[in-house]
Amino acid sequence: MNENSYYEYGTAAERWDRAQLFFDAKEYGTAARILGALVEEVPEQVAPRLLLARAYYHSARLAKAETELLAVLDRDPVEHYARLMLGRTLERQGRAAEAAPHLRLAAALAGDFPRGSREESA
């Protein structure tokens, strides 16, 4: 059994569970390794790609996180958590001006409106 067998072993559901366990244990690199293969296998599914982006974000692989978040948003433009993460990822890269619209949209999608931004109905 080679070293990669453990990461590739099992059904997609078993590998998803394993990746979540590693992510929860803050073993982001290992989680990303499992999720990368899973995303290649089921590219249309948003959840594995979003967790992969989070693993990249937490392991400071920000360019990879950005790529995955853009892919999530391409499939689901109103995924507010992906929008929020993209904004934060851009901020961490020193790209605040690019981050701002994503952060505003994430807040709006989550229903977080600043006071006074909506007219009070009489």
Side-chain angles (χ1 to χ4, degrees):
M1 183 188 262
N2 70 30
E3 181 182 324
N4 291 331
S5 295
Y6 176 73
Y7 303 105
E8 298 166 357
Y9 179 78
T11 65
E14 290 168 336
R15 286 178 283 135
W16 167 249
D17 288 342
R18 189 175 308 122
Q20 287 181 306
L21 289 172
F22 279 108
F23 184 89
D24 291 343
K26 297 182 172 40
E27 293 288 336
Y28 303 118
T30 303
R33 185 175 184 177
I34 296 166
L35 289 162
L38 195 55
V39 163
E40 285 181 22
E41 192 175 311
V42 287
E44 70 284 354
Q45 290 189 7
V46 170
R49 193 175 294 274
L50 187 55
L51 190 59
L52 177 59
R54 291 177 64 202
Y56 285 147
Y57 177 87
H58 287 297
S59 60
R61 294 169 16 185
L62 301 176
K64 288 184 174 232
E66 180 181 351
T67 298
E68 294 304 327
L69 291 165
L70 289 170
V72 167
L73 291 169
D74 186 48
R75 287 164 177 75
D76 187 357
V78 295
E79 167 49 66
H80 86 276
Y81 189 69
R83 195 66 68 181
L84 174 65
M85 278 197 62
L86 179 57
R88 289 183 177 167
T89 299
L90 293 169
E91 281 182 331
R92 278 184 72 185
Q93 294 178 75
R95 296 161 58 192
E98 288 177 69
H102 294 288
L103 295 172
R104 281 193 303 273
L105 186 52
L109 290 169
D112 297 333
F113 297 98
R115 273 206 183 292
S117 66
R118 290 185 273 174
E119 291 187 87
E120 300 293 324
S121 55

